[in-house]
């Protein structure tokens, strides 16, 4: 019985825990388990989920991208300035931040893959650089419609209503960011599970030397992983700007830890024991449910991090205890 119970607990424990948390908050507040509140939770995690997908990709190749939060901040203010300062068309507004995210990813890849700086040190350095760039670019100001400029004039542009709809609008009664998030999760899961390129990423992270000997161009694979991480962070920045309706400096600062927590909670989903897209999504859901439920119970906001940290420790403890037992057996 014990031999069956432990694997079952490891495989489905995270999902059972999420279900119990939802049940607890539903019994505590009648408005928690309603359609409007559930969609609010999903909308609230949509940005973090995009960032977390990027972190998942970098972890898949046995790396780690600490610069995603800074990339969100940079892409958010670049998106806003494209409209408010330069009155660019919507296509440019959407494409330029994605290119910026890809450039950050290329910088990470250059430092890690070419120069061979350890990923944590390289992406930490890039995080500081990008933070400095986006604050220098905006001179430390948030970007909003018709804002006053340093020369005494007023910015000529406003946030495009069609752009704001991306973050605030609904399609068939479902918030559009939620639809984008679900499409991204499904697409990324299919990419890793059913495509040759996805399997190459997993092989590179599992054993880089074996992947190289089998003919994979592991340096290119790792470089593309960091570029993808930067692009997903940039999408998060675009969604943030469209949802808030302005370009906030340091917008992505708290998202790094949120994304990392979601990814590592996902290790325990379906007994994966490694970075995976579905696990990352459920990890983000758990974090979103906790924040929403605690807020509805009027728990002080500054205790949220304690509870999220405790949940992360619990998920990691279950994961690595099981993995160590499996290796020992």
């Amino acid at each position: 019985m014990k031999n069956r119970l432990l694997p079952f607990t490891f495989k489905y424990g995270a999902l059972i825990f999420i279900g119990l948390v939802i049940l607890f908050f539903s019994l505590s507040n009648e408005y928690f388990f309603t359609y409007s509140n559930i969609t609010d939770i999903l909308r609230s995690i949509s940005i973090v989920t995009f960032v977390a997908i990027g972190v998942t990709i970098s972890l898949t190749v046995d790396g780690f991208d600490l610069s995603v939060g800074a990339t969100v901040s940079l892409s958010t203010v670049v998106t806003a300035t494209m409209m408010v300062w330069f009155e660019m068309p919507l296509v440019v507004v959407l494409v330029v931040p994605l290119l910026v995210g890809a450039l950050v990813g290329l910088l990470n890849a250059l430092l890690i893959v070419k120069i061979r700086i350890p990923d944590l040190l390289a992406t930490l350095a890039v995080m500081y650089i990008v933070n400095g760039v986006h604050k220098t670019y905006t001179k430390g100001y948030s970007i909003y419609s018709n804002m006053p400029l340093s020369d005494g004039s007023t910015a000529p542009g406003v946030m495009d209503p069609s752009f704001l709809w991306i973050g605030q609008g609904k399609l068939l009664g479902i918030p559009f960011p939620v639809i984008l998030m679900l499409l991204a999760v499904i697409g990324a899961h299919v990419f890793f599970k059913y495509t040759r390129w996805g399997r190459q990423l997993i092989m590179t992270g599992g054993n880089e030397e074996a992947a190289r000997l089998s003919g994979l161009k592991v340096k290119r694979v790792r470089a593309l992983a960091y570029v993808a991480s930067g692009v997903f962070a940039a999408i998060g920045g675009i969604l943030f700007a469209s949802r808030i309706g302005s370009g906030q400096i340091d917008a992505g600062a708290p998202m790094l830890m949120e994304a990392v927590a979601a990814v590592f909670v996902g290790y325990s989903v379906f007994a994966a024991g490694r970075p995976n897209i579905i696990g990352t999504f459920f990890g983000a859901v758990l974090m979103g449910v906790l924040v929403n439920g605690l807020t509805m119970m009027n728990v002080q906001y500054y205790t949220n991090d304690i509870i999220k940290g405790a949940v992360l420790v619990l998920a990691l403890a279950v994961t690595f205890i099981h993995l160590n037992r499996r290796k020992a057996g």
Side-chain angles (χ1 to χ4, degrees), residues 82-264:
M82 288 290 104
M83 287 177 283
V84 175
W85 290 1
F86 306 113
E87 298 183 286
M88 291 292 166
L90 185 59
V91 174
V92 176
V93 168
L94 296 176
V95 170
V96 170
L98 296 179
L99 294 177
V100 168
L103 284 174
V104 175
L106 282 174
L107 177 58
N108 282 327
L110 172 67
L111 298 176
I112 296 165
V113 179
K114 194 73 174 177
I115 304 179
R116 304 187 71 81
I117 299 174
D119 50 355
L120 287 176
L121 299 179
T123 56
L124 178 65
V126 170
M127 178 186 75
Y128 281 115
I129 292 170
V130 174
N131 274 332
V133 167
H134 96 262
K135 290 173 184 174
T136 303
Y137 174 62
T138 62
K139 295 181 175 60
Y141 295 107
S142 294
I143 310 301
Y144 52 92
S145 298
N146 298 130
M147 62 179 289
L149 300 176
S150 56
D151 62 0
S153 62
T154 301
V158 297
M159 300 294 284
D160 190 329
S162 58
F163 172 77
L164 296 178
W165 183 87
I166 296 173
Q168 302 172 10
K170 292 185 177 182
L171 188 64
L172 301 176
I174 303 172
F176 192 62
V178 175
I179 296 174
L180 292 178
M181 175 185 67
L182 294 176
L183 290 174
V185 169
I186 294 169
H189 175 68
V190 169
F191 172 80
F192 277 110
K193 195 169 181 65
Y194 298 107
T195 69
R196 176 167 59 91
W197 301 281
R199 290 192 291 270
Q200 287 179 358
L201 288 168
I202 295 171
M203 287 175 62
T204 300
N207 190 322
E208 184 173 332
E209 183 62 18
R212 186 184 64 80
L213 293 174
S214 67
L216 293 185
K217 297 179 179 178
V218 293
K219 289 186 177 181
R220 180 184 298 177
V221 171
R222 296 195 74 209
L224 290 175
Y226 282 102
V227 171
S229 179
V231 169
F232 273 101
I235 295 172
I238 293 170
L239 283 176
F240 188 93
S242 62
R243 182 180 174 189
I244 302 300
S246 62
Q248 300 292 322
I249 59 170
D250 286 333
M255 291 187 191
L256 171 61
M257 289 299 102
E258 295 279 342
V260 170
V263 172
F264 283 117

Side-chain angles (χ1 to χ4, degrees), residues 5-21 265 268-271 286 314-315 318:
L5 184 60
L6 285 176
F8 177 84
T9 303
F10 179 57
K11 189 169 186 176
Y12 300 107
L15 298 181
I16 294 171
F17 181 72
I18 293 173
L20 291 174
V21 170
V265 168
S268 62
V269 174
F270 295 129
L286 176 57
L314 177 62
V318 171

